[in-house]
């Protein structure tokens, strides 16, 4: 087994472990951190598979997303630290059934689908990155700019709501 495969299995196991931890903790903050670690492990899997752009994009996206999520959690959750008794799971039986059906469907697609031969004539890594850059700066630029502006607006709004002065109570 090559070192690349060892790292891929390790980061895959870490992603699954932290994914399970998201639902096993009673703290929104710890749950958010577990989700961040899980998705970072997925990004590291991309890096191990030599998909550098996707790996870095995954890690950067999750770090930003978890930052915004943490701001909203601290603002709106009654107990974001999870010090009180809180159950993070709802509809446990339905969730287990849905997860089992989803897992079965995913495994069926993985094992039963005809994936065809592996890609043969792929351009070099530098050319793939250049093509992706042309796509992102071409027809998809408006989408990415809109999403960036929306995220910035949400972050500024959340901060303004969090630091807004309390109205003075009449005496």
């Amino acid at each position: 087994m090559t070192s690349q495969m060892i790292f891929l299995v390790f980061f895959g196991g870490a992603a699954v472990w932290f994914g399970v931890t998201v639902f096993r903790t009673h703290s929104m903050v710890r749950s958010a951190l577990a989700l961040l670690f899980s998705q970072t492990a997925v990004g590291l899997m991309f890096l191990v598979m030599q998909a550098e752009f996707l790996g870095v994009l995954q890690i950067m996206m999750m770090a930003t997303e978890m930052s915004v999520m943490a701001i909203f959690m601290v603002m709106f959750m009654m107990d974001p630290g999870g010090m009180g008794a809180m159950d993070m799971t709802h509809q446990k039986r339905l969730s287990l059934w849905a997860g089992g059906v989803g897992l079965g469907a995913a495994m069926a697609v993985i094992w039963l689908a005809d994936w065809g031969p592996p890609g043969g004539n792929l351009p070099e890594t530098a050319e793939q990155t250049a093509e992706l850059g042309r796509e992102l700066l071409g027809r998809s630029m408006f989408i990415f700019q809109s999403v960036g502006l929306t995220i910035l607006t949400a972050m500024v709004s959340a901060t303004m709501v969090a630091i807004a002065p309390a109205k003075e109570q009449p005496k």
Side-chain angles (χ1 to χ4, degrees):
M1 198 148 97
T2 66
S3 61
Q4 185 178 16
M5 185 60 72
I6 292 170
F7 281 112
L8 192 62
V9 168
F10 174 76
F11 291 132
V16 170
W17 171 261
F18 284 116
V20 169
T21 304
V22 168
F23 298 100
R24 301 293 301 164
T25 182
H26 295 289
S27 164
M28 289 298 291
V29 173
R30 286 189 291 262
S31 181
L33 284 174
L35 181 60
L36 172 62
F37 293 152
S38 175
Q39 295 303 306
T40 300
V42 171
L44 292 171
M45 289 173 64
F46 281 128
L47 291 176
V48 167
M49 292 184 287
Q50 298 176 347
E52 292 89 2
F53 181 79
L54 292 176
V56 171
L57 186 66
Q58 173 78 15
I59 293 168
M60 287 174 43
M61 180 187 72
M62 288 310 298
T64 304
E65 180 182 332
M66 290 299 113
S67 299
V68 172
M69 186 175 161
I71 291 171
F72 278 95
M73 280 191 316
V74 169
M75 275 189 346
F76 295 117
M77 294 296 295
M78 293 177 6
D79 185 21
M83 301 312 253
M86 183 170 100
D87 189 7
M88 297 276 295
T89 57
H90 307 288
Q91 300 178 349
K92 292 179 186 180
R93 185 167 288 160
L94 176 63
S95 298
L96 288 172
W97 274 101
V101 168
L103 176 65
M107 289 305 210
V109 168
I110 289 170
W111 294 109
L112 300 176
D114 180 23
W115 294 98
N121 297 333
L122 295 175
E124 292 294 320
T125 306
E127 181 58 30
Q128 290 179 21
T129 304
E131 288 178 17
L132 181 60
R134 283 191 283 277
E135 173 66 25
L136 292 179
L137 294 175
R139 65 184 190 153
S140 299
M141 181 180 246
F142 179 71
I143 295 168
F144 282 98
Q145 292 298 320
S146 300
V147 168
L149 182 60
T150 304
I151 291 172
L152 177 64
T153 304
M155 289 171 58
V156 170
S157 301
T159 306
M160 289 176 63
V161 168
I163 62 173
K167 293 181 182 178
E168 295 213 13
Q169 298 295 326
K171 295 184 181 185

